[in-house]
Amino acid sequence: EKVEITKEQRALIKAILDAYNRHQIPQDVTKKLLQEQYSAEENFLLLTEVATSQVQVLVEFTKNIPGFLSLDREDQIALLKGSAVEAMFLRSAQVLSKKMPSGYTEVLEERIRKSGMSEEFITPMFNFYKSIGELHMTQEEQALLTTITILTPDRPYVKSHEAVERLQETMLDVLRKLCVLQHPQEPQYFARLLGRLTELRTLHHYHVEMLTSWKTNDHKFTPLLCEIWDVQ
Ligand SMILES: CC(C)c1onc(-c2c(Cl)cccc2Cl)c1COc1ccc2c(ccn2Cc2cccc(C(=O)O)c2)c1
């Protein structure tokens, strides 16, 4: 049947894309990544700064998702805490799969590889980055996939499951139409995008172990990361 995006859905895409593009990590943080020297310690500190800045960016983006602020206040917190790692894996995948002229992505990749996390996490992480890169997602698809990840109803402590599910379904419907219209030769493209969400959950489990191993080696996190990740 003829797939067509309604006026409301077009407005929704525009609102989400504007929010997604408006919030970027400040230049001073990203500039440091290019300047400071390399050591596991220095890399960990820089990545901690990037992660902290990324969480702030994520909170601002989430507040601009149409309908999010109408959810129960405690559910808003539960969704942010439950999805932060997955949203950051998506964001880092989108940044790392863009080959920047400044050699910025190579530097970032190098610092992640040498930040004291064990090989067993590096391999699945970079496989994920590769699989995201191969999708060549448009900006709208990236922003909507991040939104859908945030609006996952079955996060711990979410009370109004149906309200979150309704919001997520609205976004899934828009993404499905976009995929059909923007990737006409790939009927399975939408399914492939959703498959990435499953991979994100696996990375989320790995991440909990990553944090534990960093902590046992006495690595410090910022108060914001401790709060959102329930560490310390
Ligand atoms: C605490 C720290 C060591 C950490 O723990 N787990 C992860 C962690 C890791 Cl190591 C990988 C994926 C997710 C997380 Cl939470 C990290 C490092 O976190 C990040 C977060 C975001 C990242 C990166 C790398 C790239 N990005 C995206 C990015 C970078 C620069 C600019 C922008 C922008 O939007 O303008 C976005 C690392």
Side-chain angles (χ1 to χ4, degrees), residues 20 23-26 29-30 33 43-52 54-55 57 84-93 95-96 100 104 108 112 115 117 125 129 207 210-211 214 220-221 225 229:
Y20 192 72
H23 304 299
Q24 302 278 333
I25 285 195
V29 175
T30 46
L33 280 164
N43 292 340
F44 179 83
L45 284 176
L46 281 171
L47 288 172
T48 299
E49 210 175 321
V50 168
T52 304
Q54 183 75 59
V55 168
V57 164
V85 169
E86 292 175 27
M88 293 205 306
F89 265 108
L90 255 185
R91 184 72 185 170
S92 57
V95 165
L96 288 169
M100 314 266 227
Y104 173 70
L108 205 43
I112 292 179
S115 61
M117 74 174 85
M125 185 188 292
Y129 290 155
H207 192 263
M210 267 160 71
L211 290 178
W214 272 322
K220 291 272 172 293
F221 298 101
L225 293 179
W229 288 340

Side-chain angles (χ1 to χ4, degrees), residues 110-227:
E110 190 56 22
R111 291 196 187 275
I112 292 179
R113 288 185 183 280
K114 303 242 172 18
S115 61
M117 74 174 85
S118 91
E119 201 48 44
E120 73 180 288
F121 305 133
I122 295 202
T123 310
M125 185 188 292
F126 282 91
N127 287 342
F128 177 72
Y129 290 155
K130 189 164 169 289
S131 72
I132 289 287
E134 285 161 357
L135 285 169
H136 303 297
M137 280 194 265
T138 62
Q139 281 270 338
E140 292 92 347
E141 288 159 1
Q142 289 181 25
L144 276 166
L145 199 64
T146 303
T147 302
I148 288 161
T149 305
I150 293 164
L151 297 174
T152 300
D154 60 345
R155 299 291 185 196
Y157 315 112
V158 170
K159 297 172 300 189
S160 332
H161 191 278
E162 299 69 36
V164 179
E165 198 166 38
R166 253 194 318 275
L167 216 43
Q168 190 192 45
E169 268 157 18
T170 308
M171 306 300 171
L172 280 163
D173 190 38
V174 175
L175 182 59
R176 183 181 52 76
K177 289 184 177 178
L178 260 185
C179 290
V180 169
L181 293 171
Q182 294 184 355
H183 304 265
Q185 318 82 347
E186 279 191 270
Q188 291 316 316
Y189 186 79
F190 177 57
R192 285 176 66 197
L193 283 195
L194 299 190
R196 298 284 76 82
L197 298 186
T198 313
E199 209 172 334
L200 273 175
R201 294 218 179 203
T202 312
L203 288 165
H204 194 164
H205 293 304
Y206 279 129
H207 192 263
V208 174
E209 289 166 51
M210 267 160 71
L211 290 178
T212 314
S213 75
W214 272 322
K215 269 185 55 53
T216 40
N217 303 333
D218 202 25
H219 281 87
K220 291 272 172 293
F221 298 101
T222 57
L224 180 59
L225 293 179
C226 292
E227 194 186 330

